[in-house]
């Protein structure tokens, strides 16, 4: 910290030379503007926070170090949740992978691990996300296209072949069917004799954001929330190292929200989950330390850094204020992914630069793990070359940039501290309004409308040229950079997946399958924890679609208003 900044107050005794900012504006800025106007009348962040031309100690005069910043590893965690942060170890470099078949995805996993990746992150195809097997009519044309197809335990065995589950952490981007994919994972570990308390990873399992922003929901809101609390309770008892939910702002941001809305709507969902878990009898100080979050990182470098810092502080304060949570239960642990929606099909190599800026923001903001997108993802599933370069981007930042050598390096910046306060204040305003409506489950329509409004305003700004997208609305090229889009034959892939599924169904014990499905339906009608029944079912080779259909039969499906 600068010697001019006192520990108790970032503005105290710092001084304002020659009459302060107003005096400087009059004597220096006004004459300069008379000669050359600024590029815009108003500069602002994506959240609508006005960006002043200069920040001084006057802008942080009300900031108290102990109350608002504190030390890394201590409440309110503005400066990070660990005392030494990346001086101890780097963030987990967790590249997202998943396409086609389980075998192909397993090969990509191995390539990334060999290249130095330290955790796995799995994308699933739409049928898997929506609870349909690859042979269902609703799956036609979608098998393996945006992620890996997982119909049964047999597929999960192939996906995880030769992966040391007791040493590699696995994240699975799955929501409505999260309980089933987790059951597959646990079943593979059981088969290998790996104790459940030794496996670690994350399921996204954030169904509220699906209703709000993404759309891969299956069941109605209330039974979906019941299923989530069943997972909380089961993992607390059986799989203690597993992060049972990754409360996702990423997809809210991808749908068009601002940075402040991303925090607010994500935390509204998080507070709803905490309340539901408490209502189910779980102790906040025991389950909350396993909560994790998932945020996007976009191109406005300083706003993104401020967003991450504000988010840590706001979550800590909310957990203490509303639930009396311990410091450990108030820590915000989060994964970050660079912004998929920011990637452009025009001049795709420009995306390498965008991803680097976004990754730097996540690093400076104190993320616990990071996925960097491939430069070709606006055109296709990432090629092996693009995925490797994305990982190398993280490694260059970690080992060559020096940005990871001190904790929270932008702390004390007049601009960053002011932006951190402003983003937190805007997020608080949204949260207060959502609470007045009765919480996230009751405010789904409101959050959707706000996201749509923000997305529309952004698009209009791009079309007017007020917001520049290099290579899209300015600096266009006659022809784009060539990109090798080698992709699998999805038609053949779908037929192969269906053939294997038919063979599995012909070889299993049908009586056992019926018994396991009836046990799931009985638990869904009652109050038994569903996870043990789902695990028993997948071990009997009951498929994801069959389990989903059993729950649909009891609960119905969600119909948007």
């Amino acid at each position: 910290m600068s010697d001019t900044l006192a520990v108790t107050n970032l503005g105290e005794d710092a001084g304002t030379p020659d009459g302060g900012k107003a005096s400087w504006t009059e004597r220096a800025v006004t004459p300069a503007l008379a000669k050359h106007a600024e590029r815009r009348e108003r500069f602002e962040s994506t959240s609508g926070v006005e960006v002043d031309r200069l920040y001084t100690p006057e802008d942080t005069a009300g900031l108290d170090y102990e109350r608002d910043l504190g030390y890394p590893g201590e409440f309110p965690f503005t400066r990070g949740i660990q005392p030494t942060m990346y001086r101890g170890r780097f963030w987990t470099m967790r590249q997202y992978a998943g396409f086609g078949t389980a075998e192909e995805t397993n090969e990509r996993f191995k390539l990334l691990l060999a290249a130095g990746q330290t955790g796995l992150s799995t994308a699933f195809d739409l049928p898997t996300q929506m609870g349909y097997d690859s042979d269902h009519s609703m799956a036609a044309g979608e098998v393996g296209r945006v992620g890996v197809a997982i119909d049964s335990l047999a597929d999960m065995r192939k996906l995880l072949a030769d992966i040391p589950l007791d040493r590699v952490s696995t994240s699975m981007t799955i929501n409505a069917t999260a309980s089933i994919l987790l059951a597959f994972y646990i079943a593979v570990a059981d088969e290998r004799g790996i104790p459940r308390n030794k496996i670690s990873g994350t399921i996204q399992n954030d169904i509220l954001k699906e209703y709000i922003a993404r759309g891969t929901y299956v069941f109605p809101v209330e039974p979906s929330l019941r299923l989530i609390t069943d997972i909380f309770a089961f993992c607390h008892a059986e799989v203690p190292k597993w992060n049972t939910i990754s409360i996702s702002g990423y997809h809210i941001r991808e749908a068009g929200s601002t940075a402040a809305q991303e925090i607010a709507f994500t935390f509204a969902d998080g507070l709803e989950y905490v309340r539901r878990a408490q209502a189910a009898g779980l102790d906040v100080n025991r389950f909350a330390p396993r909560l994790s979050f998932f945020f996007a990182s976009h191109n406005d470098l300083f706003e993104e850094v401020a967003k991450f810092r504000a988010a840590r502080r706001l979550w800590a304060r909310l957990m203490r204020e509303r639930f009396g949570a311990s410091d450990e239960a108030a820590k915000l642990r989060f994964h970050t992914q660079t912004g998929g929606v920011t990637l452009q099909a025009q001049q795709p190599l420009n995306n390498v630069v965008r991803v680097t800026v976004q990754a730097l923001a996540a690093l400076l903001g104190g993320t616990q793990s990071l996925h960097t997108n491939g430069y070709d993802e606006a055109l296709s599933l990432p090629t092996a070359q693009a995925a490797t370069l994305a990982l190398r981007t993280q490694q260059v930042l970690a080992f060559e940039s020096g940005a990871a050598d001190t904790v929270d390096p932008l702390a004390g910046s007049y601009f960053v501290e002011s932006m951190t306060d402003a983003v937190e204040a805007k997020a608080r305003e949204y949260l207060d309004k959502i609470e007045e409506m009765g919480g996230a489950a009751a405010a789904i329509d409101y959050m959707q409308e706000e996201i749509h409004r923000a997305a529309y305003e952004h698009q209009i700004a791009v079309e007017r040229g007020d917001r520049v997208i290099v290579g899209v609305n300015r600096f266009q090229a006659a022809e784009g950079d060539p990109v090798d889009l080698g992709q699998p034959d999805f038609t053949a892939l779908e037929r192969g997946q269906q053939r294997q599924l038919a063979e599995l169904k012909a070889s299993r014990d049908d009586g056992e399958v019926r018994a396991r499905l009836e046990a799931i339906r009985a638990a869904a009608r009652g109050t038994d924890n569903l996870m043990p029944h789902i695990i028993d079912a997948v071990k009997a080779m009951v498929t994801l679609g069959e389990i989903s259909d059993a729950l649909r039969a009891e609960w119905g499906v969600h119909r948007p208003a």
Side-chain angles (χ1 to χ4, degrees), residues 90 360 363-364 395-407 409:
F90 292 121
L360 179 61
L363 157 59
L364 295 174
Q395 292 164 338
V396 169
L397 288 173
F399 292 98
E400 298 185 31
S401 74
D405 292 350
T406 189
V407 181

Side-chain angles (χ1 to χ4, degrees), residues 263-312:
I263 295 176
F265 300 164
T266 305
F267 285 177
D269 292 347
L271 295 172
E272 186 79 38
Y273 296 133
V274 173
R275 283 193 288 264
R276 297 295 178 128
Q278 278 194 318
L282 302 179
D283 179 355
V284 67
N285 289 326
R286 300 191 70 181
F287 75 81
R290 298 314 307 172
L291 298 177
S292 67
F293 289 78
F294 176 22
F295 293 115
S297 187
H298 280 205
N299 291 328
D300 191 329
L301 177 70
F302 292 107
E303 182 182 44
E304 293 300 304
V305 174
K307 178 189 76 179
F308 296 129
R309 299 174 82 249
R312 265 194 304 273

Side-chain angles (χ1 to χ4, degrees), residues 3 104 107 130 195 199 218 237 245 260 264 280 291 309 326 382 412 433 442 466 480-481 485 535:
D3 292 338
E104 290 171 308
E107 289 303 312
M130 299 296 292
I199 60 174
V218 178
I245 194 166
L291 298 177
R309 299 174 82 249
S326 67
K433 187 163 187 175
D466 296 341
D481 300 311
L485 297 179
I535 293 171

